[in-house]
Amino acid sequence: MSRIDVRIQASAEEAVRELAGELRELIRRCQDEGRRAVLGLATGRTPLPLYSELIRLHREEELSFRNVITFNLDEYLGLPPDHPQSYRSFMREQFFDHVDIDPECTHIPDGMVPEEEVVAHCEAYERAIEEAGGIDLQILGIGRTGHIGFNEPGSPADSRTRRVALDEMTRSDAAPAFDGLAKVPTEAITMGCGTILAAARLRLMAWGANKAEILRKAFLGPVTAEVPASFLQEHEDVRLFLDGPAAGEMD
Ligand code: GLP
């Protein structure tokens, strides 16, 4: 816990202002250095206020994403990119379509990759991250199972981008968005824990009391594959952004 910097704010909106500021600085510094900023992005409800704030910075304060490359954590297997619940659709609706990022520079695993090409697709995703120079800053949420990306309990610390089965709790948390559990995919492609831990900076956000218990387990408990987010304790540059209710069990 000692190395982890925890920022607690009254609301998610306040918490993301600081994180968006850090992203702005990173993007501008990369621009000055003549290179692209490489951002790892997340889906789910948690990053929504961050994406809203980044869109505001783009519209009102001229923050440009033209020199940004992004890699998303994961995608459901079996969903075409234009499916309303695909993470590709999510990212377009919530962020990409509202800023000046080059769509060619936005990477998300392909949920429709043919069975026999999944392994090669995952390897190519890892290679693309490497060729971009590695991830400068990875945005994360946390699932109630302790997952990061879709690295469910049991995912090893050195796991890489791969096909995974979704935990039942994760599927039932996603059920309302899919209009019922039966429609929630059972598998996904996710960056591995090792892929995530290779990012230079990790920034995890969590809001609301229903994340309090898993946050305590992940950041005050032992480092274990049973709670994949606990691996963050061993990373050198981690910051948690929490609202009061999420931080409720952190002491
Ligand atoms: C999803 C995503 C994760 C996300 C988590 C929490 O399944 N794959 O990347 O962090 O679940 O979701 P939410 O932010 O909606 O609570």
Side-chain angles (χ1 to χ4, degrees), residues 43-47 73-74 87 141-143 147 149-150 170 211:
T43 49
R45 289 175 45 181
T46 307
L73 286 165
D74 45 20
Y87 285 162
I142 184 169
H147 71 218
F150 271 135
T170 300
K211 296 288 172 77

Side-chain angles (χ1 to χ4, degrees), residues 107-128:
H107 303 86
I108 302 182
D110 179 1
M112 290 305 280
V113 64
E115 183 88 26
E116 64 280 10
E117 289 171 28
V118 170
V119 171
H121 180 67
C122 293
E123 285 169 2
Y125 203 71
E126 289 281 334
R127 247 189 339 269

Side-chain angles (χ1 to χ4, degrees), residues 12-23:
E13 287 66 28
E14 272 172 68
V16 299
R17 228 170 285 146
E18 185 182 348
L19 179 52
E22 183 180 8
L23 284 165

Side-chain angles (χ1 to χ4, degrees), residues 39-221:
L39 304 183
L41 299 181
T43 49
R45 289 175 45 181
T46 307
L48 290 176
L50 175 68
Y51 295 144
S52 299
E53 176 64 6
L54 290 173
I55 293 166
R56 191 192 68 77
L57 290 176
H58 171 67
R59 288 187 181 148
E60 296 174 16
E61 300 187 26
E62 292 175 4
L63 175 61
S64 171
F65 293 85
R66 251 173 269 132
N67 75 319
V68 171
I69 303 184
T70 65
F71 289 91
N72 264 76
L73 286 165
D74 45 20
E75 179 61 281
Y76 290 111
L77 256 180
L79 296 193
D82 58 354
H83 185 286
Q85 299 308 326
S86 78
Y87 285 162
R88 170 60 73 180
S89 296
F90 176 98
M91 289 307 301
R92 290 192 55 182
E93 279 162 26
Q94 304 298 337
F95 186 43
F96 297 152
D97 285 357
H98 307 284
V99 295
D100 60 348
I101 194 161
D102 177 354
E104 298 272 305
C105 292
T106 64
H107 303 86
I108 302 182
D110 179 1
M112 290 305 280
V113 64
E115 183 88 26
E116 64 280 10
E117 289 171 28
V118 170
V119 171
H121 180 67
C122 293
E123 285 169 2
Y125 203 71
E126 289 281 334
R127 247 189 339 269
I129 294 173
E130 231 172 84
E131 280 162 14
I135 293 172
D136 291 303
L137 190 154
Q138 175 70 54
I139 299 297
L140 293 166
I142 184 169
R144 288 195 303 133
T145 59
H147 71 218
I148 43 174
F150 271 135
N151 292 282
E152 298 287 17
S155 297
D158 61 357
S159 50
R160 290 286 165 170
T161 303
R162 70 202 186 290
R163 172 185 202 157
V164 289
L166 300 180
D167 198 278
E168 281 315 301
M169 189 192 275
T170 300
R171 291 189 66 240
S172 69
D173 282 351
F178 278 89
D179 211 13
L181 186 62
K183 294 185 185 154
V184 182
T186 56
E187 292 184 300
I189 293 179
T190 183
M191 280 187 197
C193 296
T195 322
I196 293 167
L197 294 169
R201 305 184 212 174
L202 300 177
R203 301 292 181 258
L204 185 143
M205 298 172 279
W207 327 123
N210 72 337
K211 296 288 172 77
E213 185 187 353
I214 195 63
L215 287 166
R216 172 175 50 76
K217 285 189 187 153
F219 297 106
L220 300 181

Side-chain angles (χ1 to χ4, degrees), residues 7-50:
R7 312 276 164 115
I8 302 168
Q9 296 285 357
S11 68
E13 287 66 28
E14 272 172 68
V16 299
R17 228 170 285 146
E18 185 182 348
L19 179 52
E22 183 180 8
L23 284 165
R24 169 164 59 182
E25 242 171 72
L26 172 67
I27 291 167
R28 293 205 168 143
R29 205 193 61 218
C30 289
Q31 214 158 16
D32 291 345
E33 288 171 3
R35 68 176 185 99
R36 290 185 154 164
V38 185
L39 304 183
L41 299 181
T43 49
R45 289 175 45 181
T46 307
L48 290 176
L50 175 68

